[in-house]
Amino acid sequence: MATALKAGDDFPEGVTFTYVPYKPENSAVTACGIPVKYDASKEFKDKKVVLVSVPGAFTPTCQNTHIQGYIEKLPELKAKGVDQVIVISYNDAWVMSAWAKANGIKDEIIFASDDGAPFSSSIGWTLGPRTARYAIVVDHGKVIYAEKEPGKDVTVSGVDAVLAKL
């Protein structure tokens, strides 16, 4: 049975995503690169991380409303002690890499794949086969904020809601 995360929970073990690390030789949007595993459970133990999930790369709300806020307010997030922002979607690692590059992101934010949505499914936060729209803040392995959007708007998972909880 899927159990949603809530403030006070430990971030679960065994959570991995895949992403294509930025390299100058793969900087073109059409350059593929090689996906690598990102061990979120391990990485989140010694960092303050904002994990943002969207239903799909290059989709109107995700692109124009949701992710732009995180890109624009990254300095504010860093000033509040955030070590890493990670954007996930059910899209594969190559699509997520292209989406990062299309937004001018190199390695400031990791755009990763929850390919097949295993993590999102494990917490019950999906939209059919897709990852749902949500935000989770993890501080050294402990969840301090976790909210899934109740509707189609960007409210509880947007950057302003997250900044208010940091």
Side-chain angles (χ1 to χ4, degrees):
M1 178 86 185
T3 305
L5 289 175
K6 62 187 179 312
D9 288 348
D10 288 328
F11 191 77
E13 291 296 323
V15 177
T16 61
F17 305 117
T18 55
Y19 79 108
V20 177
Y22 175 81
K23 294 181 180 174
E25 61 270 21
N26 292 333
S27 63
V29 171
T30 56
C32 294
I34 303 205
V36 298
K37 188 175 282 193
Y38 181 88
D39 186 338
S41 299
K42 179 181 173 201
E43 294 291 330
F44 291 9
K45 282 187 180 180
D46 62 358
K47 292 182 176 89
K48 186 181 232 180
V49 180
V50 176
L51 177 65
V52 184
S53 175
V54 297
F58 294 107
T59 58
T61 302
C62 301
Q63 172 63 35
N64 299 328
T65 307
H66 206 180
I67 297 311
Q68 287 308 311
Y70 284 94
I71 293 169
E72 291 164 9
K73 294 187 177 182
L74 186 60
E76 290 177 50
L77 291 162
K78 296 281 188 182
K80 290 203 173 206
V82 172
D83 297 302
Q84 186 68 65
V85 175
I86 301 170
V87 175
I88 63 168
S89 176
Y90 89 110
N91 298 101
D92 66 37
W94 292 287
V95 171
M96 294 303 287
S97 174
W99 194 27
K101 291 185 257 186
N103 279 286
I105 300 299
K106 294 179 182 169
D107 55 7
E108 309 89 6
I109 297 173
I110 293 174
F111 279 66
S113 174
D114 186 14
D115 199 2
F119 170 68
S120 297
S121 296
S122 76
I123 60 171
W125 287 358
T126 57
L127 294 172
R130 293 178 179 257
T131 47
R133 186 179 310 285
Y134 60 83
I136 300 170
V137 180
V138 181
D139 191 352
H140 294 81
K142 190 69 82 176
V143 175
I144 61 169
Y145 181 77
E147 292 291 334
K148 176 183 175 277
E149 289 296 346
K152 293 188 180 215
D153 294 329
V154 176
T155 57
V156 297
S157 68
V159 70
D160 290 330
V162 168
L163 279 165
K165 296 295 181 180
L166 293 175

